[in-house]
């Protein structure tokens, strides 16, 4: 069973006749004997659309109850069971009612297609997902129901249902689209002429692009290489020179003369990475062509004319715009040039425009010396050997070693030429060959001291000498350049490996990445700049290096775009074109790191909001129960005391007043803890640190607990600690109250202190049920109560407040098991600077 075919009627706005056209197609299919049913059509009470439903089999809908209302949706199961040849499904972007088989109607359609059922559907241009922002900027209305572009693009047929804005507004005025009471509001808002014109243009352009895709697919499948001028596509050949801006503007003017013209700027670089193009100039030209509505393409190819023609034919271009060559007249003796070659080989289906400019015939400038790849010192030595060596050899052979024979003389001069090539590359070797041949001719070839050669054999020897010298020099120079390229590629590979490793390791240091980039390319400063849209100014996201970062990418020596609104700006020097590949990798990694940092920040913000929501939920639970319990007790006691029909004894009255006082104390304690947690959450707790004795603070913290419930062991000889007395008192009070709460009756809680190294530890030891290891850290969270603690035992804030206050003073609070059972809370505080370690008599301090 094959997959069904999808046909979509695309409209610019509601009311253009999509549903009407779909139903008309359904009638045509039925008349031809095709099994066609209406799976779902929404006629919106439009009379002409309702009439078109007559004569077509309509499938029953399924009813879904949602929020006390019954809605109807397409019954996918019924359509699959009926299995027609063609199903008509209206409103492809519709969102189904919660509880439906699928969330979106296009997903229902996908099921029908997978079952081999052909589907005819409708959709408006504003419902395409990629155009949501554009439509909102035009109409001011955000479309909530969308369909992915890929779903529509996969359709086997897309038919545009077009109607002029004036005709659509007339249809609405006649009541053919909306009810009369809604017409005026629609015409003055969404259906304004400007809105409809813009939406119509969107629909036409989107459909034209889809038609262009169909054409390209057809040309590829049928291997059509001949250009079909269905629409003007103008290719601009760029060299990286300043004349590129003139060519781009000229091509844009040519494109404006034909409707739907398109400009494609292309720069072809050699595969070996050797280029004389200015990266900064190319970046400016790229920005210019994109501002003019065109696209920029970078193609690699050793044969520039062939690469340009292949690209043009590949995009089905109709015209090529090239500039007059910048070469000088004498250079045409070696080759006709790119412009002439492209014009000669373009063929009759591709027009070539040769545009004059100010840089014509001014020359390209001298290329970088290839020998420079060998290093400056080697190049200098190569010139010394190539020029001075033959002269010195001539003096040696003429004076000390005469009559060695021409063959030996030629070999000696050839040795110097090879040495010059090994040291300095091609140019010193060529100079050595030229000087050596002249000296051989003048001093060693009969007739002597004349630039003539009598014996033809000597002519052959000198020619072989020059040929071998040039060949050796070329091979050595090529090897040197290949060695340089290999070293460079190795460095690039190491750099790219570092970037890939940083991705795998999850490194998120943007400044570290930019610093590595600055060191790699030896730049003064590197900045990552961003803007949200084309109208806003650039802002610096991150920067490294001395000096103030540039405000705009175009002000930097090198800029590397990363998407539409992010760019790297480097200052210090202009980089060659071969460096931009690695620079692009750095730029992409910088964008990834930036996105990762923002995602981490968003996740942290979400975590913080979730934590805050959790605290609010816990607070509501605490208020609803734990705070109301003492309030209920206070109210009951006060109501009893105010009762006029009951005569209370003095003892009963004292008990009721004691209940009121106890409830008020509990409320005061709970509210105090809530306020303390709020201060800790907002970061407003500021510790005022002073030197304090523990034996002055701890007894004050035990005021709220029964006298016989705590055993105190605080030596007077303890060193002083640096704490905030108020915060420490509250922290100790909360820890001790928690220990007393869980300690068995009749077993007091031990509060002891001792000095260890540079700290003083206060230990609160109870013999209660203890806490498992996995919960020892969790009990310090806000609103956390371990085990089966009764609801009236508090809201679970005491330990959270204690840890927060102690950490604000630079101390720590930890929980550990008590030997023999129970829990020990250890509060570690910083002792006074300079105080000697404390050693109780008869004991030795252990760490």
């Amino acid at each position: 069973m094959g997959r069904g075919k999808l046909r979509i009627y695309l409209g610019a706005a509601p009311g253009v006749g999509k549903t009407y056209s779909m139903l008309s197609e359904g009638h045509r299919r039925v008349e031809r004997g095709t099994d066609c049913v209406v799976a779902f059509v929404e006629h919106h009470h439009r009379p002409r659309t309702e009439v078109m439903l007559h004569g077509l089999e309509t499938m029953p809908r399924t009813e879904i109850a949602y929020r006390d209302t019954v809605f109807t949706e397409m019954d996918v199961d019924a359509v699959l069971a009926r299995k027609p040849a063609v199903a008509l499904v209206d409103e492809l972007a519709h969102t189904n009612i919660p509880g439906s088989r699928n969330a979106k109607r296009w997903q229902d359609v996908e099921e029908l297609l997978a079952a081999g059922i052909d589907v005819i559907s409708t959709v408006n241009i504003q419902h395409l997902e990629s155009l949501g922002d554009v439509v909102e900027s035009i109409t001011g209305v955000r479309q909530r129901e969308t369909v992915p572009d890929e779903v529509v693009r996969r359709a086997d047929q897309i038919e545009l249902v077009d109607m002029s804005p004036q005709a659509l507004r007339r249809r609405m005025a006649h009541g053919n689209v909306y009810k009369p009471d809604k017409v005026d509001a629609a015409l003055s808002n969404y259906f304004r002429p400007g809105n409809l014109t813009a939406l119509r243009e969107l629909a036409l352009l989107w459909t034209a692009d889809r038609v262009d895709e169909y054409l390209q697919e057809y040309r590829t499948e049928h291997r059509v290489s001949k250009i079909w001028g269905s629409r003007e596509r103008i290719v601009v050949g760029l060299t990286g020179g300043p004349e590129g801006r003139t060519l781009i503007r000229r091509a844009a003017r040519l494109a404006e003369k034909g409707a739907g013209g398109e400009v494609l700027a292309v720069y072809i670089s050699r595969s070996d990475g050797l280029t004389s193009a200015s990266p900064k100039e190319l970046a400016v030209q790229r920005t210019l062509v994109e501002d003019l509505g065109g696209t920029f393409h970078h193609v690699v190819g050793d044969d520039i004319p062939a690469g340009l023609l292949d690209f043009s034919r590949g995009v089905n271009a109709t015209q090529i715009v090239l500039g007059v060559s910048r070469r000088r007249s004498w250079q045409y003796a070696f080759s006709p040039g790119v412009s002439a070659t492209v014009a000669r080989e373009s063929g009759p289906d591709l027009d070539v425009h040769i545009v004059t400019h100010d840089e014509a015939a001014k020359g390209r400038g001298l290329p970088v010396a290839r020998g420079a790849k060998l290093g400056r010192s080697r190049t200098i030595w190569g010139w010394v050997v190539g020029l001075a060596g033959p002269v010195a050899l001539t003096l040696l052979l003429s004076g000390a070693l005469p009559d060695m024979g021409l063959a030996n003389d030629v070999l000696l001069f050839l040795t110097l030429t090879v040495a010059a090539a090994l040291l300095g590359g091609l140019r010193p070797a060529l100079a050595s060959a030229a000087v050596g041949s002249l000296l051989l001719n003048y001093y060693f070839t009969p007739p002597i001291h004349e630039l003539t050669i009598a014996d033809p054999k000597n002519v052959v020897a000198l020619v072989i000498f020059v040929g071998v010298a040039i060949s050796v020099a070329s091979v050595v120079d090529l090897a040197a350049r290949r060695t340089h390229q290999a070293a460079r590629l190795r460095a690039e590979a190491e750099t790219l490996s570092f970037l890939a490793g940083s991705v795998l390791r999850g490194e998120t240091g943007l400044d570290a990445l930019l610093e590595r980039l600055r060191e790699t390319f030896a730049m003064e400063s590197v900045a990552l700049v961003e803007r949200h849209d084309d109208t806003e100014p650039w802002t610096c996201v991150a920067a490294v290096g001395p000096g103030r970062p540039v405000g705009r990418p175009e002000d930097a020596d090198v800029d590397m775009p990363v998407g539409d609104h992010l760019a790297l700006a480097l200052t210090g020097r202009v980089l060659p074109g071969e460096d931009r590949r690695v620079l692009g990798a750095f730029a992409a990694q910088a964008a990834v790191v930036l996105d990762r940092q923002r995602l981490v920040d968003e996740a942290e913000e979400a975590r913080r909001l979730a934590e805050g929501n959790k605290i609010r939920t816990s607070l509501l639970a605490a208020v609803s129960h734990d705070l109301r319990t003492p309030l209920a007790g206070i109210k009951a006691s006060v109501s009893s005391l105010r009762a006029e029909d009951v005569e209370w004894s003095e003892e009963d009255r004292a008990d009721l007043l004691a209940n009121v006082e106890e409830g008020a104390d509990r409320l005061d304690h709970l509210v105090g803890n809530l306020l303390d947690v709020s201060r800790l959450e907002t970061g407003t707790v500021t510790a005022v640190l002073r030197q304090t004795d523990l034996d002055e603070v701890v007894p004050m913290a035990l005021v709220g607990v029964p006298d016989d419930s705590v055993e105190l062991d605080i030596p007077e000889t303890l060193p002083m600690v640096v704490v905030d007395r108020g915060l420490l008192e509250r922290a100790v009070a909360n820890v001790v109250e928690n220990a007393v709460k869980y300690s068995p009756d009749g077993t007091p809680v031990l509060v002891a202190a001792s000095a260890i190294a540079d700290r003083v530890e206060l230990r609160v030891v109870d013999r209660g049920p203890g806490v498992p290891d996995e919960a020892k850290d969790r009990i310090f969270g806000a609103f956390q109560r371990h085990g089966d603690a009764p609801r009236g035992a508090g809201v679970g804030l005491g330990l959270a407040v204690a840890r927060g206050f102690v950490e604000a003073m630079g101390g720590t609070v930890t929980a550990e098991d008590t030997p023999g059972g129970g829990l020990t809370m250890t509060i570690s505080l910083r002792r006074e600077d300079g105080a000697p370690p404390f050693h109780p008599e008869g004991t030795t301090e252990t760490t």
Side-chain angles (χ1 to χ4, degrees):
M1 179 182 62
R3 179 180 172 85
K5 295 184 178 181
L6 175 62
R7 179 173 182 173
I8 293 179
Y9 286 94
L10 177 67
V16 296
K18 303 181 302 301
T19 306
Y20 189 91
S21 300
M22 179 183 68
L23 294 175
S24 298
E25 178 64 21
H27 280 285
R28 284 192 293 271
R29 299 285 181 103
V30 171
E31 291 172 359
R32 293 197 299 264
T34 305
D35 183 12
C36 179
V37 301
V38 176
F40 188 95
V41 167
E42 192 66 64
H43 53 72
H44 298 291
H45 303 290
R46 296 169 185 168
R48 296 187 179 182
T49 305
E50 288 187 75
V51 170
M52 292 298 296
L53 287 171
H54 298 162
L56 295 175
E57 179 184 350
T58 302
M59 297 296 299
R61 302 184 183 183
T62 181
E63 295 184 349
I64 300 176
Y66 180 68
R67 293 184 177 179
D68 300 328
T69 305
V70 178
F71 299 89
T72 60
E73 294 286 0
M74 181 174 68
D75 193 338
V76 180
D77 291 327
V79 178
L80 291 174
R82 171 68 173 75
K83 198 171 178 55
V86 179
L88 307 182
V89 182
D90 203 9
E91 298 181 356
L92 185 63
H94 172 73
T95 300
N96 294 329
I97 296 298
S100 301
R101 181 189 185 97
N102 295 303
K104 304 288 289 188
R105 184 164 294 163
W106 64 264
Q107 296 172 327
D108 297 338
V109 169
E110 286 292 324
E111 288 197 35
L112 300 182
L113 294 173
I117 301 173
D118 293 345
V119 176
I120 303 176
S121 188
T122 64
V123 71
N124 283 327
I125 192 66
Q126 66 264 28
H127 293 300
L128 294 182
E129 199 169 73
S130 65
L131 300 177
D133 295 336
V134 179
V135 173
E136 183 179 10
S137 65
I138 295 172
T139 64
V141 178
R142 182 68 180 184
Q143 298 295 331
R144 302 300 178 187
E145 294 187 330
T146 60
V147 58
D149 290 44
E150 185 60 27
V151 173
V152 182
R153 288 183 180 275
R154 285 202 306 263
D156 298 276
Q157 286 181 273
I158 298 177
E159 184 171 334
L160 179 65
V161 182
D162 189 30
M163 179 177 289
S164 68
Q166 294 77 12
L168 179 56
R169 286 172 60 85
R170 283 196 299 270
R171 288 193 62 188
M172 296 188 64
H174 294 158
N176 294 330
V177 179
Y178 292 137
K179 293 182 178 180
D181 58 340
K182 298 182 179 180
V183 171
D184 291 339
L187 290 175
S188 59
N189 290 283
Y190 190 88
F191 291 86
R192 294 194 301 268
N195 290 357
L196 295 178
T197 302
L199 293 174
R200 187 188 187 197
E201 182 181 16
L202 277 178
L204 291 170
L205 290 175
W206 196 92
T207 308
D209 288 339
R210 184 61 180 141
V211 172
D212 192 53
E213 291 178 10
Y214 282 134
L215 178 61
Q216 191 64 34
E217 291 175 4
Y218 180 85
R219 285 168 52 85
T220 302
E221 291 175 0
H222 294 78
R223 298 181 180 179
V224 178
S225 58
K226 185 178 179 181
I227 293 176
W228 291 354
S230 56
R231 110 189 220 187
E232 292 293 339
R233 281 191 180 86
I234 303 173
V235 173
V236 185
L238 302 178
T239 64
E243 76 281 358
R245 307 182 199 182
T246 303
L247 303 183
I248 293 171
R249 295 188 181 98
R250 176 64 173 166
R253 291 196 297 270
L254 289 174
E256 290 175 357
K257 294 180 180 179
E262 184 179 358
V263 176
L264 300 92
V266 58
Y267 170 70
I268 300 179
S269 62
R270 298 188 183 277
S271 59
D272 58 5
L274 300 176
T275 177
S276 59
S278 168
K280 189 171 184 179
E281 181 63 31
L282 279 178
V284 172
Q285 294 174 15
R286 180 189 191 117
T287 303
L288 176 61
V289 72
E290 290 175 352
D291 290 342
L292 294 175
T295 57
F296 182 90
H297 305 268
H298 190 164
V299 179
V300 177
D302 291 325
D303 190 339
I304 294 179
L308 185 59
L309 289 171
D310 290 342
F311 175 82
S312 301
R313 292 191 175 99
V315 298
N316 200 29
T318 57
Q319 302 179 54
I320 297 179
V321 175
L322 298 173
V324 175
S325 178
R326 287 183 286 154
R327 300 193 305 171
R328 300 189 185 276
S329 301
W330 60 268
Q331 292 177 298
Y332 285 99
F334 300 98
S335 66
V338 174
S339 301
T341 304
V342 171
R344 184 181 67 248
E345 299 179 1
S346 61
D349 54 352
L350 188 57
D351 298 334
V352 179
H353 300 266
I354 308 297
V355 180
T356 60
H357 52 82
D358 295 336
E359 302 296 323
K362 290 185 177 180
R364 294 180 175 272
L366 293 176
V368 177
R370 294 179 176 179
K373 302 295 185 182
L374 300 173
R376 184 176 180 182
S377 61
R378 288 185 59 180
T379 303
I380 293 175
W381 276 107
W383 281 105
V384 171
V385 173
L387 296 178
V391 176
L393 182 59
T394 300
L395 295 175
L396 179 65
L397 293 176
S398 299
L401 300 172
D403 300 329
M404 289 192 63
L406 181 60
N408 292 328
D409 295 338
V410 170
L411 289 176
L412 290 175
F413 276 94
L414 182 60
T415 302
L416 283 178
T417 301
V418 173
L422 291 172
L423 290 173
L426 181 61
R427 292 188 178 183
L430 294 178
S432 177
V435 173
S437 62
L438 291 175
L439 292 175
L440 281 171
N441 186 7
Y442 191 79
Y443 288 99
F444 303 103
T445 305
I448 304 299
H449 299 156
E450 291 184 15
L451 293 177
T452 57
I453 303 174
D455 190 351
K457 296 180 181 179
N458 295 334
V459 175
V460 175
L462 289 179
V463 171
I464 293 175
F465 165 73
V466 174
V468 171
I470 293 175
S471 300
V472 171
S474 299
V475 171
V476 172
D477 178 70
L478 180 62
R481 286 189 291 116
R482 292 295 183 238
T483 302
H484 172 78
Q485 292 171 13
R488 177 178 184 81
L489 291 176
R490 179 180 178 183
E492 288 184 3
E494 291 177 354
T495 302
L496 295 177
S497 175
F498 161 77
L499 292 177
S502 65
V503 173
L504 295 177
R505 291 189 298 269
E507 297 177 358
T508 57
L510 185 58
D511 290 340
L513 179 66
L514 296 183
E515 183 63 29
R516 177 64 181 262
L517 171 60
R518 188 178 74 89
E519 294 175 355
T520 300
F521 294 101
M523 306 300 290
E524 292 182 1
S525 64
V526 178
L528 185 64
V529 294
E530 183 184 31
R531 62 179 178 181
H532 296 291
D533 54 57
D534 296 335
T535 60
E536 292 188 4
W538 293 92
T539 58
C540 182
V541 178
V544 295
R548 183 178 181 182
V550 296
R552 301 182 305 169
E554 51 267 29
D555 295 335
D557 294 319
V558 181
D559 66 290
M560 172 59 69
V562 192
D564 295 332
H565 303 120
L566 193 67
L568 275 177
L570 296 82
T571 57
R573 64 188 180 93
V574 177
L575 292 179
E578 56 191 1
D579 286 339
R580 294 187 68 84
R581 179 172 54 222
V582 178
L583 183 59
F586 269 105
Q589 177 66 4
V592 170
V593 171
L594 179 62
D595 290 341
R596 185 185 296 127
Q597 284 185 352
R598 289 178 173 173
L599 288 175
V600 169
D601 293 340
E602 291 176 2
E604 179 63 24
E605 179 66 16
R607 187 202 63 78
R608 189 185 64 81
L609 292 176
E611 187 67 24
N613 185 62
K614 179 181 178 182
I615 290 177
R616 283 192 294 271
T617 303
S618 301
L619 177 60
L620 289 175
V623 170
S624 63
H625 188 282
D626 296 292
L627 295 182
R628 291 179 63 182
T629 299
L631 279 176
I634 293 174
K635 180 175 176 57
S637 298
V638 172
S639 298
S640 299
L641 290 172
R642 289 173 55 88
E644 297 180 355
D645 55 344
V646 178
E647 211 41 61
W648 300 102
S649 64
E650 290 298 328
E651 293 181 357
D652 293 337
R653 185 180 297 274
D655 289 339
L656 291 174
L657 291 175
N659 290 337
V660 171
E661 184 178 10
E662 181 182 356
D665 290 339
R666 288 179 59 189
L667 274 179
D668 180 68
H669 181 72
L670 291 174
V671 171
N673 279 335
L674 288 173
L675 293 177
D676 290 337
V677 168
S678 175
R679 293 168 60 198
L680 291 171
E681 290 291 331
T682 57
T684 57
V685 175
T686 303
V688 181
L689 303 180
R690 294 190 179 91
Q691 298 178 5
T692 306
D693 286 319
L694 278 183
D695 57 357
E696 297 179 0
V697 178
V698 175
M700 299 296 297
L702 305 180
V703 173
V705 298
D707 294 337
D708 57 349
S709 62
V710 176
E711 180 181 339
L712 195 60
D713 182 14
I714 307 293
E716 296 181 357
T717 55
L718 275 177
M720 302 179 73
V721 292
V722 181
V723 295
D724 183 306
R725 294 187 56 151
L727 297 182
L728 179 60
E729 183 179 332
R730 290 295 303 275
V732 173
N734 286 348
V735 173
V736 172
E737 288 177 4
N738 183 78
V740 171
K741 184 191 310 178
Y742 289 98
S743 187
D745 294 337
T747 304
V749 172
L750 174 63
V751 179
S754 62
I756 298 178
D758 61 343
R759 314 289 291 181
V760 173
E761 290 187 350
L762 181 68
R763 293 180 299 279
V764 180
V765 184
D766 67 62
R767 295 293 179 178
V771 175
D773 292 338
E774 63 272 11
K776 282 187 172 61
D777 190 64
R778 189 169 63 247
I779 59 176
F780 291 101
F783 300 102
Q784 296 293 326
R785 289 185 296 188
H786 178 66
D788 56 353
R791 294 292 301 176
V795 294
L797 293 176
L799 295 182
V801 171
R803 170 172 277 189
F805 283 175
V806 172
E807 289 180 349
M809 296 182 290
T812 60
V813 181
T814 56
E816 58 187 20
D817 293 331
T818 301
L823 186 69
T824 298
M825 292 286 184
T826 303
I827 301 176
S828 179
L829 304 169
R830 182 166 56 90
R831 61 185 290 175
E832 178 190 0
D833 294 337
F838 170 70
H839 298 280
E841 293 183 5
T843 64
T844 302
E845 180 186 20
T846 60
T847 303

